[in-house]
Amino acid sequence: MKSHTISVLLQNKPGVLSRVTGLFSGRGYNIESLCVAETLEPGISCLTLVSRGDDSIIEQITKQLHKLIDVIKVTDISEKEYVEREMVLIRVKAESTTRAEVLRVIDIFRGKVVDVSAKSYAVEVTGPASKIQAVIDILRPIGIKEIIRTGTIAMARADKKK
Amino acid sequence: MGKITGAQAIIKCLQEEGVKTLFGYPGGAVIDLYDALMDSDIDNVLVRHEQGAVHAADAFSRVTGEVGVALLTSGPGATNGVTGIATAYMDSIPMVVLTGQVPRHLIGNDAFQEVDIVGITRPCTKHNYLVSNKEDIVPVLREAFYIARTGRPGPVLVDLPKDLVASLVSYPEKKPIRMQNYQPTYEPHIGQITKACKLIMKARKPVLYVGGGVILSDASHELTKLATRLNIPVTMTLMGLGGFPGTHELSLGMLGMHGSYTANMAVAQSDLLIAVGARFDDRVTGKLEEFASNAKIVHIDIDPTSISKNVSVDVPIVADCKYALQAMNKYFDAETNFDIKEEAARHQPWFDTIKEWRQEHPMRFHDDDIIIKPQYVIQKLEELTGGDAIITTEVGQNQMWAAQYYRFDKPRHFVTSGGLGTMGFGLPAAIGAQMAFPNKTVIDVAGDGSIQMNIQELATAKQQGLPVKVAILNNNYLGMVRQWQELFYNKRYASTVMEVAPDFVELAKAFGAVGLRATKKSEVEGVIKEALATDNIVVMDFNINREEGVYPMVPAGKANTEMLLV
């Protein structure tokens, strides 16, 4: 069961997201992550969705998504070369003994501190889901208080030949 | 053009879309619409329950091919329609359901008779709308009709807030509808058609497996041409009955759980299965791994999601059935190396085998000289109507007996809830069909359980002067569940004995209809003849053999070849 990243262009109308999520729950498919926001074109949004399944399940998911009247285009971009990014906000314990360690880790992951208190830092890190998971795993022993992840957004790479 | 009310605009738009009949039930949220309806020539059928309105609109569509229309009020009016909407959705019936909604400023406030019907019906409509701007009313309605009738058809719901319906709007000019996001594929890919035709020419044991899509796309003529010129036997799903003449020599009848022995054996042993507008429903395939396991599969369907959903397909053809079959016929017209007689000769051993199966295990039942057998009633209905009646059914044993023993020669003459299996469908469906064809004989084949679910619609038929006939196969049981309990639950008849039922003859009279009863076989013919000769609504109460079962039967989870026979 492979993880697939599916990009969906859809009309930005009330209830559209509910149609998408309803399709998944109604057919017993799982959504691992879902991100949606407007595109360059007003009224059209791009939704990036990560799901897991064998080939026939993923085929059904893409076909069923395409069948929704408000959906314009469905692309399984994991079939192509693509870039993916996710952002995480992590509130991590940062007391006198660990502050320097946290900063070192964040620096290695090219993150930055976005909020500071006497006992904690809030840090921001972006990157592929695997990198986000790695920074979480490394900071966990220091003491993570809270994390918020955005879920994956992804874009197919441009055709280099043209 | 000056401004008119939203309600007037809606009615005008319905007329523009060719609507002549709608089915509904008024309420506070749609009172303006009903008021505007009085000034139009659209027939409005006042039902007794909203479920009946939607089923009637659905059946109107099934028999005419037009978009059925139901008009319901907000809240409970709308929720009462949900079963009907889901029924139409499962069977891909083009329908527009208009629901009233509370005024916009009250939406989301738990107002009186408010319900999020768009949210509720999202999984069981092809699409749905809550209109939020008065200038959108007409464009949305036009789009709703377009979506309902194009591609794989289906029900579309339009929720209309009362303040918009009452407001003044301008009536936009009609323009062709173009939707960036919705472009069904009608024309088949010619390469795939060629592949399919080559497979047909190679096959020695081909079978056409035909579903409701053939009827929805009016492709019976093309199908019959293809089957007869190439001598390919045809089996039909419940929804496909009438898509190919049931009395034709090439017809194997229905396949699947209650299909004929011949059809199930032919599919199991075929080397090529050509599925046309059918979706490999679990009631059809039985144990999936053993369904047509030696056959190459060609699948024609307008809905890409239906293809390779349950079985893996060798040649997928996404197209309207009619266009795909036309393209196949055209291919064979142009094929000069092809000799039709030779092709028929190549199929001869296959026909001989089929003939043997048919002789060994025809559709049969143990008739009785005195007790009424339900199959006998259905056979008599076919005989005495000349096979020309529109038969609607409820759901259960009655439905299966009707499917097995009434041979439908023409499409759009068998109206049944296939996908959802909705009890209570048949009587309102008969009303919808009779509204469409006032001069045809319309008979609802019912069970005593099902008929009690929407029997109040006898009043609707009476008010409209529709002479529908109801044939109740009365066994004082919820017969199909009882049959399962008998076979698989050690005869523990949990809640399937209908100990108390109305006296249907007296009940018919109470509605102003005619009630007739047959308690023994010798009375059946007389009752049917009298019913057919009566202008009024007739309820026929046939007291059938209580423990009669539907056979053949494939137990759930078994292969179609493991049929229980009589």
Side-chain angles (χ1 to χ4, degrees):
Chain A
M1 298 262 270
K2 227 174 92 188
S3 179
H4 285 253
T5 305
I6 297 164
S7 177
V8 186
L9 276 188
L10 35 72
Q11 308 271 355
N12 183 5
K13 285 184 189 165
V16 175
L17 198 56
S18 166
R19 287 184 205 280
V20 171
T21 53
L23 189 156
F24 276 74
S25 60
R27 292 177 187 271
Y29 306 139
N30 188 34
I31 300 176
E32 292 189 351
S33 107
L34 187 148
C35 265
V36 56
E38 204 163 68
T39 60
L40 264 181
E41 201 174 329
I44 294 182
S45 292
C46 181
L47 181 153
T48 310
L49 187 149
V50 181
S51 188
R52 196 172 283 275
D54 58 27
D55 288 351
S56 67
I57 290 177
I58 298 297
E59 186 185 339
Q60 267 300 308
I61 287 176
T62 51
K63 281 177 172 176
Q64 294 284 355
L65 280 169
H66 199 257
K67 196 168 148 182
L68 295 176
I69 303 287
D70 290 323
V71 166
I72 300 161
K73 193 176 176 194
V74 182
T75 322
D76 181 356
I77 56 177
S78 31
E79 301 286 301
K80 307 175 174 183
E81 290 278 305
Y82 69 104
V83 282
E84 64 162 313
R85 287 292 178 273
E86 183 173 352
M87 186 170 125
V88 66
L89 292 173
I90 308 172
R91 191 180 304 285
V92 58
K93 269 192 200 168
E95 291 164 0
S96 53
T97 51
T98 55
R99 286 181 104 87
E101 172 67 6
V102 171
L103 288 177
R104 240 191 330 269
V105 171
I106 294 310
D107 189 43
I108 292 166
F109 281 91
R110 296 199 184 129
K112 60 184 175 195
V113 177
V114 291
D115 186 36
V116 183
S117 76
K119 292 186 173 174
S120 71
Y121 283 144
V123 301
E124 146 194 328
V125 181
T126 58
S130 55
K131 177 179 163 186
I132 302 296
Q133 196 54 52
V135 74
I136 291 169
D137 290 345
I138 295 214
L139 290 178
R140 201 188 301 272
I142 300 171
I144 293 178
K145 293 179 163 186
E146 186 183 359
I147 64 164
I148 307 287
R149 294 174 71 159
T150 59
T152 300
I153 54 169
M155 185 185 266
R157 285 188 187 274
D159 192 343
K160 297 282 181 338
K161 287 174 198 157
K162 285 176 188 164
Chain B
M1 185 181 158
K3 300 231 169 186
I4 53 177
T5 67
Q8 288 169 327
I10 290 164
I11 303 304
K12 189 172 154 68
C13 183
L14 292 181
Q15 288 176 309
E16 194 182 84
E17 294 292 338
V19 177
K20 294 183 187 70
T21 309
L22 66 77
F23 303 84
Y25 203 100
V30 287
I31 200 163
D32 295 277
L33 272 167
Y34 273 90
D35 188 62
L37 206 49
M38 287 195 82
D39 298 325
S40 78
D41 56 2
I42 295 177
D43 276 334
N44 165 42
V45 178
L46 171 65
V47 295
R48 296 300 184 266
H49 187 288
E50 288 86 352
Q51 187 185 346
V54 183
H55 288 328
D58 168 321
F60 187 89
S61 171
R62 291 184 201 232
V63 297
T64 59
E66 294 165 21
V67 179
V69 180
L71 170 55
L72 318 175
T73 194
S74 66
T79 54
N80 276 348
V82 172
T83 302
I85 294 170
T87 304
Y89 181 68
M90 289 293 274
D91 291 342
S92 308
I93 304 304
M95 192 159 74
V96 170
V97 179
L98 305 174
T99 49
Q101 183 53 277
V102 300
R104 280 175 303 168
H105 70 277
L106 290 178
I107 291 177
N109 287 359
D110 299 334
F112 175 68
Q113 292 196 329
E114 184 200 352
V115 75
D116 172 16
I117 195 62
V118 167
I120 289 173
T121 58
R122 205 166 275 144
C124 62
T125 48
K126 183 172 173 187
H127 195 53
N128 60 15
Y129 300 87
L130 168 63
V131 183
S132 52
N133 182 330
K134 64 180 185 176
E135 299 304 336
D136 287 344
I137 293 178
V138 174
V140 162
L141 209 50
R142 284 175 179 159
E143 204 169 276
F145 272 89
Y146 176 72
I147 290 173
R149 63 163 71 99
T150 53
R152 178 177 183 172
V156 179
L157 181 137
V158 182
D159 201 23
L160 298 154
K162 179 170 172 153
D163 60 314
L164 293 184
V165 175
S167 63
L168 288 176
V169 302
S170 49
Y171 193 81
E173 198 186 317
K174 191 165 186 180
K175 290 182 193 146
I177 292 179
R178 278 197 198 91
M179 294 172 74
Q180 178 190 11
N181 39 328
Y182 173 69
Q183 284 154 351
T185 307
Y186 289 97
E187 294 288 348
H189 186 283
I190 214 67
Q192 297 296 85
I193 291 287
T194 307
K195 268 193 211 167
C197 292
K198 285 190 171 155
L199 282 182
I200 291 175
M201 290 169 74
K202 254 200 254 167
R204 294 294 174 268
K205 296 190 279 182
V207 172
L208 273 155
Y209 149 51
V210 171
V214 164
I215 292 169
L216 289 168
S217 74
D218 289 321
S220 295
H221 172 73
E222 288 75 9
L223 170 77
T224 307
K225 184 174 172 188
L226 184 77
T228 48
R229 73 198 302 204
L230 292 159
N231 267 320
I232 303 175
V234 183
T235 179
M236 286 157 280
T237 69
L238 183 70
M239 294 302 298
L241 291 175
F244 183 79
T247 54
H248 197 286
E249 210 203 341
L250 287 169
S251 169
L252 305 175
M254 188 168 71
L255 79 165
M257 182 175 271
H258 293 296
S260 71
Y261 180 87
T262 317
N264 282 335
M265 292 306 286
V267 170
Q269 298 200 15
S270 65
D271 62 358
L272 176 68
L273 191 70
I274 310 148
V276 192
R279 61 191 174 90
F280 296 83
D281 181 89
D282 52 281
R283 281 288 190 271
V284 162
T285 60
K287 192 177 179 185
L288 209 51
E289 305 84 73
E290 291 178 41
F291 180 75
S293 52
N294 301 315
K296 295 249 181 218
I297 295 180
V298 174
H299 189 183
I300 302 170
D301 205 299
I302 197 158
D303 179 3
T305 61
S306 281
I307 292 178
S308 290
K309 187 166 71 175
N310 302 329
V311 299
S312 120
V313 170
D314 297 283
V315 184
I317 300 174
V318 177
D320 183 279
C321 293
K322 191 182 182 87
Y323 294 157
L325 292 169
Q326 271 172 353
M328 287 167 103
N329 280 319
K330 213 168 140 190
Y331 177 91
F332 289 115
D333 287 340
E335 179 61 63
T336 45
N337 297 325
F338 176 75
D339 186 321
I340 211 135
K341 279 182 191 154
E342 275 178 27
E343 182 70 14
R346 279 202 291 268
H347 293 167
Q348 201 49 51
W350 180 226
F351 284 122
D352 293 342
T353 314
I354 286 173
K355 213 180 277 176
E356 268 171 42
W357 285 325
R358 198 178 266 155
Q359 274 162 4
E360 274 171 36
H361 299 287
M363 285 301 299
R364 68 176 155 209
F365 60 98
H366 297 301
D367 206 356
D368 190 284
D369 289 341
I370 297 160
I371 298 169
I372 303 175
K373 290 298 185 100
Q375 301 91 334
Y376 172 76
V377 175
I378 303 291
Q379 283 180 336
K380 276 285 156 196
L381 282 174
E382 184 192 331
E383 184 190 318
L384 297 171
T385 57
D388 191 42
I390 293 176
I391 302 291
T392 72
T393 76
E394 304 292 338
V395 164
Q397 289 183 314
N398 61 83
Q399 179 186 32
M400 289 302 123
W401 286 319
Q404 290 176 329
Y405 287 92
Y406 197 106
R407 291 164 304 164
F408 296 92
D409 271 342
K410 282 181 269 184
R412 302 193 183 280
H413 278 63
F414 183 52
V415 178
T416 195
S417 166
L420 197 66
T422 310
M423 290 173 75
F425 175 80
L427 177 54
I431 288 169
Q434 190 85 80
M435 276 302 291
F437 294 108
N439 298 323
K440 277 207 92 124
T441 301
V442 179
I443 304 171
D444 171 29
V445 173
D448 52 300
S450 275
I451 193 65
Q452 290 184 62
M453 285 209 173
N454 273 323
I455 199 160
Q456 75 286 348
E457 298 305 333
L458 285 173
T460 305
K462 187 71 190 172
Q463 185 164 339
Q464 295 295 325
L466 302 172
V468 296
K469 316 294 177 219
V470 182
I472 303 174
L473 305 174
N474 188 348
N475 55 10
N476 288 111
Y477 274 128
L478 296 178
M480 190 58 100
V481 183
R482 185 209 59 78
Q483 181 173 339
W484 282 51
Q485 290 167 334
E486 178 188 323
L487 294 170
F488 313 116
Y489 291 84
N490 209 18
K491 294 196 177 181
R492 281 157 57 88
Y493 295 155
S495 290
T496 45
V497 190
M498 283 281 189
E499 280 162 359
V500 175
D503 179 327
F504 290 111
V505 171
E506 293 302 317
L507 190 66
K509 288 182 194 160
F511 279 105
V514 175
L516 303 171
R517 178 171 291 125
T519 55
K520 41 185 196 277
K521 187 182 179 186
S522 57
E523 294 166 348
V524 169
E525 189 165 332
V527 162
I528 296 174
K529 278 185 174 164
E530 190 179 341
L532 295 177
T534 306
D535 286 340
N536 200 345
I537 305 157
V538 182
V539 176
M540 295 169 268
D541 183 18
F542 296 104
N543 296 173
I544 60 164
N545 179 36
R546 287 201 75 197
E547 312 262 312
E548 190 68 24
V550 180
Y551 294 101
M553 176 182 186
V554 179
K558 298 272 186 183
N560 279 353
T561 46
E562 299 174 83
M563 283 161 276
L564 305 176
L565 300 165
V566 189

